Amino acid sequence: MPVKITGYETHDVRFPTSLTGDGTDAMNTDCDYSSAYVTLKTSSDLVGYGMTFTIGRGNDIVCMAIRELAHRLVGKDVEDLFANMGKTWDYLCSDSQLRWIGPEKGVIHIAFGAVDNALWDMYARSRNKPLWKLIVDMTPEEVISATAFRYITDAITPTEALAMLKAKEGTKAEREATVREKGYPAYVTSAGWLGYTDEKVARLMREAVAQGFNHFKMKVGANRDSDLRRGKIIRSIIDDPQYLPAGTAPRDPNGPDLRGKNAGPTGSVLMIDANQVWDVPQAIEYVKSLEEIKPWFIEEPTAPDDILGHAAIRKALKPHGIGVATGEHAHNRMVFKQLLQAEAIDVCQVDSCRLAGVSEVLSVLLMAAKFGVPVCPHAGGVGLCEYVIHLSLIDYIAISGTMERNVLEFADHLHEHFLYPASINRNGRYNVPSNPAEGYSIEMRQSSIAEYEWPHGSYWVNSPKKSQ
């Protein structure tokens, strides 16, 4: 008997991370990391879990949008949906009244991301594979049929993308074995939040170096003198061999994985992130003044929609050896298309749920591979690390074929709320999700939902922080 989607549940789950300064930056000073969470139900025991990420108030609005989109799936045969996930993506996007309040951006688009991700999670669970494995085991033709190509064929056509996938197909097994053995390269963000004291930053950096990380990111943009001071503290730790794990030799700063990244004497790399706080001329002058701490790139130096602004910043900073990265707030594949066409970025930072789910992410991975720009997904939030390791594995194994210069963001908090949490090995790399039951790794513990659901979860009922 065919399995059909019968209903859905949403949950507005908020964690009080603002109390400890987690997630703080120059633009976002009061972050309560939050999950707009959805469960898709079927006529069998098959389910799908998805979420999108916010930082607090407004999460309830996203949940409302998720319900409107999920309702479009009720009554649908799951195998019909799975047979062509690109067509399914188009169907979810095609309600003209819902699309009007985007189109393909804002609240409706990130809600779409939660629903599309939940459907992909269900698909992977139905095949008893983690999401990344489901996709890398697809034929190139199946991947193409699952990808959103509308509005980007002036940058990459399905025919071009198919040829790229076929060129990598014969060596997929070799890359899969390599990454299973070594893990996927990661960088740490959770030591560099703007709201932390100098002492906390120094302690967390020492711990991160000891864990095997060699890429680190700090938030900047609130105060230039403070940024320089904190940057020098960080450099004094990550550039000092005494803090390396026992028996670990410094990496070669001029090696193929580090060349052009402003790596220090131990092979450690520092990145900086302004979270959109500057105008274009201000960004250029401010970042030039931080050249002393040798950042590899400045992330989100200005408004995320300003393609030509990013291009101007990149051109101005290139003589100073500093690159430009952006993408966590890029609305859709069209913004990435333009960033790539305008040569505006050195690093492409897709977000797993600001883009409208896996089908749209695939389109950006393919474009970035064509343009030769490394993809380093955004993961500084609840659930994002769990999501994005799958995306980086798909990129490495099936699409770009490289992880030599890639690094995937890791923020070490809130993983305990998920049944299949992301984890890091002793060399500062993501472990490969390997449980065949985990799907897209985003299933949240029921106890966490009961405690942190807004406003009636046990934490919020008993918390003095009720001003949300």
Side-chain angles (χ1 to χ4, degrees):
M1 187 173 181
V3 176
K4 296 183 181 295
I5 293 179
T6 56
Y8 49 87
E9 286 182 2
T10 62
H11 298 278
D12 177 351
V13 185
R14 309 186 193 183
F15 300 96
T17 50
S18 60
L19 297 178
T20 54
D22 296 347
T24 49
D25 57 60
M27 182 65 79
N28 307 293
T29 57
D30 186 33
C31 305
D32 282 329
Y33 277 3
S34 302
S35 168
Y37 188 76
V38 61
T39 303
L40 295 177
K41 300 180 177 183
T42 70
S43 54
S44 71
D45 58 359
L46 182 64
V47 294
Y49 301 98
M51 59 150 278
T52 200
F53 168 65
T54 83
I55 61 169
R57 288 190 305 276
N59 209 39
D60 50 351
I61 299 172
V62 180
C63 285
M64 290 174 64
I66 287 172
R67 289 193 288 272
E68 291 295 322
L69 287 162
H71 185 72
R72 288 179 59 74
L73 294 174
V74 174
K76 300 294 183 183
D77 184 306
V78 300
E79 289 301 328
D80 288 345
L81 295 171
F82 299 159
N84 189 321
M85 288 293 280
K87 183 178 178 181
T88 298
W89 192 92
D90 287 340
Y91 167 74
L92 281 169
C93 193
S94 67
D95 184 304
S96 61
Q97 295 186 12
L98 295 178
R99 189 178 186 277
W100 184 266
I101 59 173
E104 297 191 45
K105 55 181 172 287
V107 169
I108 199 68
H109 207 58
I110 62 175
F112 184 178
V115 176
D116 188 66
N117 286 341
L119 197 58
W120 276 100
D121 177 73
M122 181 187 288
Y123 187 6
R125 288 167 180 267
S126 74
R127 303 304 192 256
N128 208 34
K129 294 179 180 182
L131 185 278
W132 69 267
K133 182 63 171 166
L134 171 77
I135 293 177
V136 302
D137 284 351
M138 288 180 171
T139 66
E141 289 81 4
E142 288 171 331
V143 174
I144 295 303
S145 74
T147 301
F149 278 101
R150 190 179 195 180
Y151 302 138
I152 65 167
T153 54
D154 54 326
I156 189 168
T157 66
T159 301
E160 286 179 293
L162 181 62
M164 289 166 54
L165 293 172
K166 285 187 172 182
K168 296 290 189 293
E169 186 177 21
T171 49
K172 285 194 298 187
E174 178 183 323
R175 286 189 295 279
E176 180 177 330
T178 296
V179 75
R180 282 184 183 274
E181 178 187 353
K182 294 182 176 180
Y184 195 92
Y187 74 85
V188 64
T189 291
S190 47
W193 299 123
L194 206 59
Y196 288 176
T197 64
D198 290 354
E199 292 75 19
K200 186 171 183 178
V201 169
R203 174 177 60 80
L204 292 174
M205 281 293 168
R206 288 192 294 268
E207 292 174 1
V209 173
Q211 287 178 279
F213 289 101
N214 79 311
H215 286 67
F216 311 86
K217 191 168 77 181
M218 64 175 274
K219 300 292 184 173
V220 298
N223 181 283
R224 191 189 319 254
D225 291 341
S226 175
D227 292 343
L228 274 173
R229 185 188 71 253
R230 291 165 58 248
K232 288 176 181 178
I233 290 170
I234 291 170
R235 274 293 182 193
S236 73
I237 294 167
I238 67 176
D239 289 347
D240 191 333
Q242 71 168 308
Y243 297 113
L244 294 175
T248 301
R251 293 175 169 91
D252 179 5
N254 296 308
D257 57 332
L258 295 176
R259 192 179 302 117
K261 289 186 175 183
N262 274 333
T266 63
S268 289
V269 176
L270 177 62
M271 301 96 85
I272 57 176
D273 183 359
N275 292 91
Q276 317 158 28
V277 75
W278 300 312
D279 281 2
V280 171
Q282 186 184 12
I284 292 167
E285 294 309 311
Y286 198 112
V287 177
K288 283 181 182 178
S289 75
L290 299 179
E291 187 175 357
E292 182 180 353
I293 60 174
K294 298 192 301 182
W296 169 25
F297 62 63
I298 174 64
E299 178 178 338
E300 282 203 313
T302 193
D305 307 333
D306 189 355
I307 286 87
L308 297 182
H310 279 86
I313 293 167
R314 182 175 184 246
K315 182 178 180 180
L317 294 180
K318 195 164 188 175
H320 299 269
I322 301 170
V324 170
T326 200
E328 71 177 87
H329 282 87
H331 291 302
N332 50 44
R333 64 206 176 281
M334 292 78 81
V335 174
F336 282 106
K337 177 187 75 171
Q338 294 175 62
L339 287 165
L340 293 165
Q341 288 174 327
E343 299 182 352
I345 52 172
D346 298 276
V347 174
C348 176
Q349 295 174 307
V350 295
D351 184 279
S352 56
C353 48
R354 185 167 291 275
L355 292 176
V358 175
S359 289
E360 188 170 35
V361 169
L362 288 172
S363 71
V364 178
L365 296 180
L366 286 161
M367 283 191 292
K370 178 183 174 180
F371 282 82
V373 174
V375 177
C376 301
H378 167 241
V382 60
L384 301 188
C385 294
E386 281 66 30
Y387 266 151
V388 295
I389 178 55
H390 292 267
L391 304 180
S392 287
L393 291 170
I394 294 163
D395 178 57
Y396 169 56
I397 297 169
I399 298 176
S400 73
T402 181
M403 62 175 175
E404 186 175 56
R405 297 182 61 77
N406 301 58
V407 277
L408 176 54
E409 184 171 21
F410 182 75
D412 193 13
H413 50 231
L414 303 175
H415 303 295
E416 68 274 14
H417 298 292
F418 295 90
L419 266 67
Y420 306 100
S423 62
I424 297 291
N425 67 24
R426 61 185 178 86
N427 296 315
R429 290 171 170 252
Y430 272 85
N431 291 309
V432 171
S434 57
N435 189 320
E438 68 185 282
Y440 206 174
S441 305
I442 209 68
E443 182 179 357
M444 193 176 288
R445 295 184 181 278
Q446 288 299 313
S447 58
S448 296
I449 295 173
E451 186 172 3
Y452 291 104
E453 185 160 17
W454 176 264
H456 301 300
S458 59
Y459 174 86
W460 294 112
V461 167
N462 298 307
S463 171
K465 186 176 180 179
K466 294 183 179 177
S467 60
Q468 294 209 18

